[in-house]
Every structure is written in structure tokens, then in C-alpha cells.
Amino acid sequence: MKQLLTLVTLVISLFGTHANAEQFVKFDQLEVHYSAIPTTFLSAEIARSYQIQRSKYAALLNIAVLDTAQNNQPAIAFIRGEAVNLLGHKTPLTFREIREGEAVYYLAEVKHTNEERFKFTIDVTTAGGVTNTLNFQQTFYTDN
């Protein structure tokens, strides 16, 4: 539980310091929160506990789905998606569901080169079978 709080605290603290670190879109009664951060922002301990490879060539995507009709309670969803770079190379994203306490979120990693820009297309399918598609773009940089 302490590791979750550390990861959640880290991600929340990054939201305030990076303009594009955390965003969300609304789909009817759902809010889909998303962020993409360099994996080097995670401590070695946190990365190890969540089996995330820390690398200057890797980013971590975090998706959380909230049900606004249920006081912003986490909504269980099936998340799948892909990242497409400017050359059209498609990378499928493999999301892992993380449940700790009442928190539910979905993590995926994507490899990148310096200044590589991706268009992300992420399908969020709720338990009721409704699918909404999240689209966003982000450029990643390597640590020098």
C-alpha cells in the first residue's frame, strides 16, 4: 500500500509541474484521465514493484476511468490502444490493470527515441459494453 501511495503521489506531483502531464476527457457520465510520463521519473523501487522498465527511451501511460454518476468512483474498463509515430509506425499498447484499495488504473509502456511524437488512440470499453475512444498526441524526449 505504501508503494501505491508513493506512485500516486509521484504522478499527482507531476501533474502540477508538467503542462501536459495529466488531462481528462468526458464521455457522458465517465471521465477518462490520462497521463504519459518518462519512466525515469519513477524511483527504481517503484518501477521494480510495478515491473516497469526505467529507461530514457520509455514512457509510462496511465489511464484512470471515473464514473461521475457514482461520485467519481473508479469504473472498471477494458483498455486497448496503439501509438503511431509521424512515420506511421504503429505500436500496440498493452495495458495492465492495477487495483489497490479502491484505486483502479491502467498502465502501459511505450518505447521512443528523442523528440519522437506519437498519436495515441485508446479505446475504453466499460463493463456495460460501451466503447469510447480517447485521442491525444505527445512528444517524448530522452534524458541527456
Side-chain angles (χ1 to χ4, degrees):
M1 187 64 157
K2 181 180 178 183
Q3 291 174 337
L4 168 67
L5 293 176
T6 305
L7 178 63
V8 171
T9 301
L10 173 67
V11 172
I12 289 171
S13 69
L14 292 173
F15 294 163
T17 59
H18 296 320
N20 291 330
E22 193 268 347
Q23 300 169 45
F24 72 92
V25 293
K26 291 184 113 174
F27 298 110
D28 295 322
Q29 67 187 40
L30 295 179
E31 282 187 0
V32 178
H33 291 253
Y34 62 98
S35 63
I37 62 169
T39 57
T40 54
F41 283 14
L42 302 173
S43 72
E45 178 185 354
I46 295 296
R48 191 171 33 258
S49 67
Y50 287 90
Q51 300 175 339
I52 297 166
Q53 179 185 359
R54 292 179 75 235
S55 169
K56 67 181 184 177
Y57 301 107
L60 177 68
L61 278 72
N62 183 357
I63 306 289
V65 183
L66 302 178
D67 186 342
T68 59
Q70 298 293 321
N71 266 350
N72 290 332
Q73 290 297 310
I76 304 305
F78 174 71
I79 311 289
R80 68 178 178 190
E82 69 179 9
V84 180
N85 70 10
L86 294 177
L87 298 174
H89 181 262
K90 294 180 182 183
T91 302
L93 300 171
T94 303
F95 285 90
R96 295 183 291 133
E97 182 180 87
I98 306 294
R99 291 188 190 203
E100 294 189 4
E102 292 185 22
V104 179
Y105 50 97
Y106 303 87
L107 301 177
E109 296 172 62
V110 64
K111 304 289 186 204
H112 63 82
T113 59
N114 190 39
E115 297 185 19
E116 189 168 12
R117 184 166 190 81
F118 288 99
K119 291 181 181 179
F120 293 96
T121 303
I122 299 172
D123 292 329
V124 179
T125 304
T126 60
V130 175
T131 299
N132 293 289
T133 302
L134 165 67
N135 294 291
F136 69 98
Q137 297 182 34
Q138 187 160 331
T139 303
F140 296 98
Y141 303 91
T142 58
D143 298 337
N144 292 323

